[in-house]
Amino acid sequence: AQKITQTQPGMFVQEKEAVTLDCTYDTSDPSYGLFWYKQPSSGEMIFLIYQGSYDQQNATEGRYSLNFQKARKSANLVISASQLGDSAMYFCAMSANFNKFYFGSGTKLNVKP
Amino acid sequence: GAVVSQHPSRVICKSGTSVKIECRSLDFQATTMFWYRQFPKQSLMLMATSNEGSKATYEQGVEKDKFLINHASLTLSTLTVTSAHPEDSSFYICSVQRNTEAFFGQGTRLTVV
């Protein structure tokens, strides 16, 4: 069984500062992918970043980076230089063998001006 | 451009009626599509896996007779909420997976009155 845990229901960050959103996971599958999605109030799911279980290096996509610690089963999202438009819900997700996705409970990020 | 198109984006229906939601893969043929449900301020929960040309696979606790899924072609899956009740009001979203990426539709906000 797959399980994704996000322990931060809500986070505040000052504009232009960095913020880390936590995510831990549990799976018995040796091959899996970890994803982060942003969901604004409109409801659409916006892909941010992907990390494969066999990837040696942490993934980065612009201002987003994923702090992947395989032994600890954590995949935290780091957003650098926060912008007001980053205010949204953020979901961590896992897909074993690139099949269906399992999502965490989400973190609501508020960026303060 | 969009890879997955979901229609309608919003629907209001009377209790007891049925509602059909369409999910189209625009750029590639998808033998598998996924349907999720998201209650307000909650995470996405996988409802079922739609398989082209065969029966859908439902997650535990999801009533297959209530949520009818048809995947008649490689580009179209439909979810029909039969005899809808107010407790079925939710945000329904489909996704298609291609390699390591998942593409989500825009979502359908269903309100049953």
Side-chain angles (χ1 to χ4, degrees), chain B residues 7-8 11 18-22 78-81 108:
Chain B
H7 178 80
V11 59
S18 296
V19 174
K20 180 185 284 188
I21 303 169
E22 293 186 347
T78 60
L79 168 68
T80 301
V81 183
T108 298

Coordinates of all heavy atoms in Angstrom, one line a residue, chain B residues 7-8 11 18-22 78-81 108:
Chain B
H7 N -15.0 18.0 -19.5 CA -16.2 18.8 -19.7 C -17.4 18.2 -19.0 O -17.5 16.9 -19.1 CB -16.4 18.9 -21.2 CG -17.7 19.6 -21.6 ND1 -17.8 21.0 -21.6 CD2 -18.9 19.2 -21.9 CE1 -19.0 21.4 -22.0 NE2 -19.7 20.3 -22.1
P8 N -18.3 18.9 -18.4 CA -18.3 20.3 -18.2 C -17.4 20.7 -17.1 O -17.0 19.9 -16.3 CB -19.7 20.6 -17.9 CG -20.2 19.4 -17.2 CD -19.5 18.3 -17.8
V11 N -21.4 21.9 -13.2 CA -22.7 21.4 -13.4 C -23.5 21.4 -12.1 O -23.0 21.0 -11.1 CB -22.7 20.0 -14.1 CG1 -22.0 19.0 -13.2 CG2 -24.1 19.6 -14.4
S18 N -29.0 12.1 -13.3 CA -27.7 11.6 -13.6 C -26.9 12.6 -14.4 O -27.5 13.4 -15.1 CB -27.8 10.3 -14.5 OG -28.4 9.3 -13.7
V19 N -25.6 12.6 -14.1 CA -24.7 13.6 -14.8 C -23.5 12.9 -15.4 O -22.9 12.0 -14.8 CB -24.2 14.6 -13.7 CG1 -23.1 15.5 -14.3 CG2 -25.3 15.4 -13.1
K20 N -23.2 13.2 -16.6 CA -22.1 12.6 -17.3 C -21.0 13.6 -17.4 O -21.2 14.8 -17.9 CB -22.5 12.2 -18.7 CG -21.4 11.5 -19.5 CD -21.8 11.1 -20.9 CE -22.6 9.9 -21.0 NZ -22.8 9.4 -22.3
I21 N -19.8 13.2 -17.1 CA -18.6 14.0 -17.2 C -17.6 13.4 -18.2 O -17.4 12.2 -18.1 CB -17.9 14.2 -15.9 CG1 -18.8 14.7 -14.8 CG2 -16.6 15.0 -16.0 CD1 -18.3 14.7 -13.4
E22 N -17.1 14.2 -19.1 CA -16.2 13.6 -20.2 C -14.8 14.0 -19.9 O -14.5 15.1 -19.5 CB -16.7 14.1 -21.6 CG -18.0 13.6 -22.1 CD -18.3 14.1 -23.5 OE1 -17.5 15.0 -24.0 OE2 -19.2 13.5 -24.1
T78 N -15.7 8.5 -19.9 CA -16.8 9.2 -19.3 C -17.1 8.7 -17.9 O -17.0 7.4 -17.6 CB -18.0 9.2 -20.1 OG1 -18.4 7.8 -20.3 CG2 -17.8 9.8 -21.5
L79 N -17.4 9.6 -17.0 CA -17.9 9.2 -15.6 C -19.3 9.7 -15.5 O -19.6 10.9 -15.7 CB -17.0 9.9 -14.6 CG -17.5 9.8 -13.1 CD1 -17.5 8.4 -12.6 CD2 -16.7 10.8 -12.3
T80 N -20.2 8.8 -15.2 CA -21.6 9.1 -15.0 C -22.0 8.9 -13.6 O -21.9 7.8 -13.0 CB -22.5 8.3 -15.9 OG1 -22.2 8.5 -17.3 CG2 -24.0 8.7 -15.7
V81 N -22.4 10.0 -12.9 CA -22.9 9.9 -11.6 C -24.4 9.7 -11.6 O -25.1 10.5 -12.1 CB -22.6 11.2 -10.8 CG1 -23.0 11.1 -9.3 CG2 -21.1 11.6 -10.9
T108 N -14.3 19.1 -12.8 CA -15.7 19.4 -12.9 C -16.3 19.6 -11.5 O -16.2 18.7 -10.7 CB -16.5 18.2 -13.6 OG1 -16.0 18.0 -14.9 CG2 -18.0 18.5 -13.6

